Amino acid sequence: MKNLFSNLRGDLFGGLTSGIVALPLALAFGVSSGLGPSAGLYGAIFISFFAAIFGGTNTQISGPTAPMTAVSMVVIAGLIAVNDGDIEKALPAILIVFLVAGIMQIGLGLIGIGKYIKYIPYPVVSGFMTAIGVIILVTQILPAVGYYPKEDAEYVDQFKPKAEELLLTNILKEETGEGILVLEDFEETIKRSENITEADILKEAQTIAKSEASGVIGAFKVMGRALSNINWLELCLALATIFIIYGFKRITTVIPSALVALVVVSGVAYGFGLEYRPIEEIPSGFPTPNLEIFTQFSLSAVTPYIFTALTLALLGSIDSLLTSVVADNMTKTKHSPNKELVGQGIGNSIAAVFGGIPGAGATIRTVVNINAGGKTKLSGMIAGLVLLIVMMSLAPIASQIPAAVLAGILVTVGIGVMDYKGLRAISTLPKDIKLGPLKLSSEVLIMLVVLVLSSVWNLVYAVGIGLIIASLMFMKKIGDLTAERSDVKSLEKEKAWTDEKDFPDSLREEVFIKHLKGPLFFGTTTDFQRLANQIPLTASVAVLRLEKMQYLDQSGLYVMEDVIKELSKNGVVVLFVKILKQPRYMMERIDIIPDLIPEEHIFPNFDACIKWIKTNVKK
């Protein structure tokens, strides 16, 4: 407790400043997620406070971030669609997924996975971050120009036939579940279908329209309609916000430009009585826990999103630990990665219970905290409390913020979150692979695959595919490099080692000596398989010198077995010289030793092997 208050003044300024910086972003990320601005605020409050208490980075400021919000959008949109477009009905399942993600993150910290996060390849992270920027930028164009698909009557009308079909399908499903659907009598079906009103059809059509226009592909589908139905007031508000955010930074960075844009543009719009579209109402008072996530828990509703929850947990971990590294570099301290994951998991879990969206360590807010004087965990706790006080006292005022202002803020976030360093490297990285006539960089290929798939398909699957491709390419490269440096490869003539120079000339045609220098694994098995073919017909003994073969994997193990069997079939006796511990252990597991290579054919050194040869091989 003494250490907690050792830097009270600095932590107070750091927490206050970073909390103010977090306010517009929390509101914007909440709106972007689909759960509304209050969900963004709740996430910022609880994650910041509890991740600071239990985390392993003293100066970390946590809350909703662009990557976490983008993945959260997938969960929210999917579960809302499953629940007939009713967000209230879908909310318990959404929050359960977020809660599971938080618990998974705690688990990752407890089992010590934090130190392994650094092994995720940079091209995967780069492609993902750029895709996040593309998704946010493209999807925010619609609210920035004041276009909302579900409010476009002409666009919605085209989905009414599909809406009627879905409503009828739902009736049939209900009757099937109740056991009253029979081919002989559709009387109940007809009766229920007659209760479908035009309002029901319109609502369902609006839900479909909103779903069809979601994501990057959906936004492009309706972009033409949006640009031909621009609400010029909304567009002006968004452009003014963007202009102030970029322009004010040139004047000073002491005051957050996003906050200045939020206050100035919202103040002008409200003060002049402009007829703009405000954000959803933010409830005032202390947040209350959403106990429905426990009372209405349904495993079947959440199961399809378990992998997405794991992705949220991993993404939040990567995001947070990268920020922790930045904090370490600035403060010359050392964070505890596993403790940080536990803290982030606790923060996300508690935020989910109170209806907040998940988040992670936020780099910009953490840098602001450190520059303002924050040094201990108290700064992160204060940042959360600042947001809580703002929400409890200023919620009615915040509810008057124009939606276009938050769209403008998100446009700048989308532009800023892209990995320009990775994009600039596209033309300079070496082209190390060939796809037909094309020569490409494997790093660039991975980044582009993740970028394109994340943008137009699915963030979760794209990252998984990117990791698989990166892993396969990494194994291929390491295999090739190791094979080049090893003497596992078959050669017509091998240079004799020092202890082989006195080997009797009279035995050279009878005895073939093979050196294995380096691991025998999947990358070198093809070369090793040619061993049986390179042995002269005059040889009756093959000596395999294994003292420099440090490692034998399963692929190498079975190739070794096949080669020995082939040699034995051709009447060649195989001798091992100085087999190391790991390869011997592997060979004993499938009985190469002693079934194929008896103990008397295994020698501790080459001199002992020569003695056996002189005694047992005819000259």
Side-chain angles (χ1 to χ4, degrees), residues 474-486 488-489 519-530 551 553-556 559:
F474 173 76
M475 288 190 289
K476 174 69 168 58
K477 284 182 182 178
I478 295 302
D480 291 344
L481 289 171
T482 306
E484 285 176 14
R485 298 181 61 185
S486 73
V488 173
K489 295 186 292 184
L520 178 58
F521 69 117
F522 63 87
T524 56
T525 52
T526 303
D527 292 315
F528 185 72
Q529 279 175 317
R530 291 198 286 266
Y551 177 76
D553 75 351
Q554 194 170 10
S555 299
V559 168

Side-chain angles (χ1 to χ4, degrees), residues 173-340:
K173 285 181 179 178
E174 287 175 7
E175 293 184 354
T176 302
E178 295 169 12
I180 60 174
L181 181 64
V182 290
L183 289 173
E184 293 83 4
D185 184 9
F186 281 99
E187 184 179 340
E188 180 63 25
T189 306
I190 295 169
K191 183 180 178 181
R192 292 189 183 190
S193 64
E194 288 174 349
N195 292 329
I196 297 174
T197 64
E198 281 297 320
D200 294 329
I201 296 171
L202 176 62
K203 183 180 177 182
E204 187 66 33
Q206 288 176 331
T207 301
I208 297 170
K210 183 179 178 181
S211 177
E212 286 290 318
S214 64
V216 172
I217 297 296
F220 278 123
K221 284 180 182 177
V222 297
M223 194 65 71
R225 297 191 63 83
L227 296 179
S228 61
N229 292 279
I230 295 176
N231 183 315
W232 293 103
L233 173 60
E234 300 289 317
L235 179 59
C236 289
L237 292 175
L239 290 176
T241 302
I242 295 169
F243 177 78
I244 292 173
I245 288 173
Y246 286 124
F248 195 78
K249 286 179 181 178
R250 296 179 178 274
I251 300 172
T252 180
T253 56
V254 175
I255 303 174
S257 59
L259 182 67
V260 173
L262 179 73
V263 172
V264 170
V265 180
S266 300
V268 169
Y270 183 77
F272 283 89
L274 302 179
E275 295 184 5
Y276 61 86
R277 181 191 186 99
I279 62 173
E280 294 177 24
E281 185 178 351
I282 301 172
S284 57
F286 194 87
T288 55
N290 191 321
L291 299 179
E292 288 184 351
I293 64 176
F294 302 111
T295 59
Q296 295 185 15
F297 176 79
S298 172
L299 187 62
S300 60
V302 178
T303 302
Y305 296 91
I306 291 297
F307 186 63
T308 308
L310 178 60
T311 303
L312 274 170
L314 289 171
L315 179 60
S317 301
I318 297 167
D319 212 357
S320 299
L321 294 182
L322 287 174
T323 303
S324 296
V325 171
V326 173
D328 284 350
N329 291 334
M330 292 183 68
T331 59
K332 309 304 178 189
T333 57
K334 182 68 176 175
H335 73 280
S336 172
N338 294 319
K339 188 177 180 183
E340 182 62 34

Side-chain angles (χ1 to χ4, degrees), residues 7-18 369 372-375 378-379 382-383 386:
N7 184 49
L8 184 59
R9 179 183 170 85
D11 291 335
L12 184 61
F13 279 109
L16 180 62
T17 308
S18 56
N369 176 42
K375 289 184 179 179
L378 185 62
S379 57
I382 290 173
V386 166

